[in-house]
Amino acid sequence: MRPPPLWLPSLLFCGLGATMSLPDSFSQLAAPLNPKLHLYNEEQILTWEPSPSSNDARPVVYQVEYSYIDGTWYRLQRLNCTDIAETKCDFTGGGRLKGFTRSLSVFLRVRAKQGNRTSDWVTLDPFLHYENVTVGPPKNISVTPGKDSLVLHFSPPFNVDQGATFQYLVHYWEKTGTQQVEGPFKSNSIVLGNLKPFRVYCLQTEAQLILKNKNIRPHGLLSNVSCHETTADASTRLPPVILIPVGIFTLLLVLTGACFILFLRYQSRLKYWFQAPPNIPEQIKEYLKDPDQFILEALDKDSSPKDDSWDSVSIISSPEKD
């Protein structure tokens, strides 16, 4: 058997060295998944799903960076969004820092880190707060019933800078009627007039964001439904001091009329109910006490003797004259 060529060991060594120098496909850490940005009123919150687990037992942390249009990336150290185990970064929770500038486009990116291993950066689409925010309903809503009206007071969903403002719409309807919309209003104090007195109206309020270029954002979220009863105008309303006697007098009139109608309807029956019972003559009562006594004798006994006595009658005649 011939010995192997002298060049074969060196070839095997070179091949092994090349294999050892190949990068480990598992050394690259998996990137975070499905990053999402939540923009509601003043809230600016970035969330993501954790990186897929690996055989490495060391903890995985995340890093978040931001950039403006200049392309320079900055860490969010003041918000504690560097090397965090939580899969969320709240940009509005940093004390005096109330999120990113609302009139500039912002870029965000996040990556995972485990020991000396890092994942690729996952970059989100740029956002502009005023263009992408979801506007909530007005806050601190109070409704006061007025004279055939409802008076609304509220505060804006959130504070805006000089580049934006709010306008408001009021959706209202009678409890059994169709919905109507009033507005837009610039003021946060609104009077809904020309309503029917003593009727229940339900309403909802809505805020719309208007940018300085007069671009009106889509409709905001509606407030919860609240229902209120209107009052009457002062000219058609009597004071309580007069209402009490008028109510008593009206009640008496109604009762009197009802009694009169009942009397006319049941007149014969009422006479029958209220007529005096028949009296039995004394002679009959005596006879009933002693039936053996003849009733004629009892009647003669009770009759007055003066009625049956006569004086003597004398006939006096005078001679006729010639």
Side-chain angles (χ1 to χ4, degrees):
M1 183 175 183
R2 298 177 56 183
L6 297 176
W7 48 266
L8 183 59
S10 60
L11 181 61
L12 291 174
F13 179 79
C14 292
L16 181 60
T19 303
M20 293 294 293
S21 63
L22 288 175
D24 184 3
S25 60
F26 294 99
S27 64
Q28 182 69 31
L29 189 63
L33 303 175
N34 301 323
K36 296 179 181 179
L37 184 62
H38 170 76
L39 299 175
Y40 178 79
N41 287 349
E42 293 180 334
E43 297 176 0
Q44 297 178 351
I45 303 174
L46 175 64
T47 59
W48 60 89
E49 296 178 11
S51 302
S53 60
S54 63
N55 295 328
D56 197 333
R58 290 176 297 179
V60 177
V61 295
Y62 301 94
Q63 297 173 335
V64 179
E65 293 182 349
Y66 73 96
S67 174
Y68 290 111
I69 197 66
D70 59 358
T72 304
W73 292 96
Y74 305 93
R75 290 188 176 184
L76 295 163
Q77 295 179 350
R78 287 186 296 174
L79 294 177
N80 192 25
C81 287
T82 301
D83 297 335
I84 57 174
E86 189 178 12
T87 58
K88 180 180 74 171
C89 182
D90 188 351
F91 308 122
T92 55
R96 294 183 178 179
L97 184 61
K98 297 298 183 182
F100 298 106
T101 303
R102 298 172 186 172
S103 57
L104 296 178
S105 295
V106 181
F107 297 81
L108 293 173
R109 67 182 185 178
V110 59
R111 73 176 179 180
K113 180 180 178 182
Q114 188 179 39
N116 58 351
R117 297 194 304 163
T118 58
S119 72
D120 291 333
W121 288 102
V122 180
T123 305
L124 285 76
D125 294 331
F127 75 93
L128 195 153
H129 187 88
Y130 283 152
E131 294 287 350
N132 302 104
V133 67
T134 299
V135 179
K139 299 179 180 178
N140 306 318
I141 301 173
S142 65
V143 181
T144 304
K147 300 175 181 178
D148 302 340
S149 63
L150 295 174
V151 183
L152 288 78
H153 299 280
F154 48 83
S155 55
F158 59 93
N159 296 324
V160 295
D161 56 26
Q162 296 180 353
T165 185
F166 283 108
Q167 68 180 15
Y168 305 96
L169 300 173
V170 179
H171 304 250
Y172 71 99
W173 62 95
E174 199 172 342
K175 203 161 187 180
T176 57
T178 57
Q179 187 176 114
Q180 304 180 61
V181 180
E182 287 287 340
F185 301 97
K186 298 295 183 181
S187 173
N188 56 358
S189 180
I190 300 172
V191 178
L192 292 178
N194 299 322
L195 303 180
K196 299 177 183 178
F198 303 114
R199 298 293 180 88
V200 176
Y201 287 88
C202 299
L203 52 88
Q204 292 177 289
T205 56
E206 173 193 351
Q208 287 183 311
L209 184 63
I210 305 177
L211 305 182
K212 61 181 180 181
N213 58 0
K214 305 303 181 182
N215 180 26
I216 301 178
R217 289 293 321 286
H219 292 278
L221 301 180
L222 292 173
S223 64
N224 294 330
V225 177
S226 61
C227 300
H228 310 270
E229 184 177 4
T230 58
T231 62
D233 189 84
S235 60
T236 60
R237 188 172 49 198
L238 295 175
V241 177
I242 299 178
L243 285 177
I244 295 176
V246 170
I248 294 175
F249 180 73
T250 304
L251 180 61
L252 291 177
L253 286 180
V254 172
L255 292 176
T256 303
C259 293
F260 182 72
I261 293 173
L262 291 174
F263 176 77
L264 293 179
R265 185 172 182 178
Y266 301 103
Q267 183 178 3
S268 59
R269 186 172 298 180
L270 290 174
K271 288 182 177 180
Y272 174 78
W273 287 346
F274 292 102
Q275 66 181 356
N279 284 330
I280 302 176
E282 292 295 331
Q283 296 86 346
I284 302 301
K285 290 181 180 179
E286 293 294 335
Y287 171 76
L288 294 176
K289 292 178 181 180
D290 186 9
D292 295 334
Q293 182 180 4
F294 294 104
I295 186 150
L296 294 179
E297 294 179 358
L299 292 176
D300 292 339
K301 180 179 180 181
D302 292 336
S303 62
S304 175
K306 295 180 179 180
D307 295 338
D308 298 332
S309 60
W310 293 272
D311 293 334
S312 57
V313 177
S314 299
I315 300 175
I316 302 176
S317 60
S318 59
E320 296 182 358
K321 294 181 181 182
D322 294 333

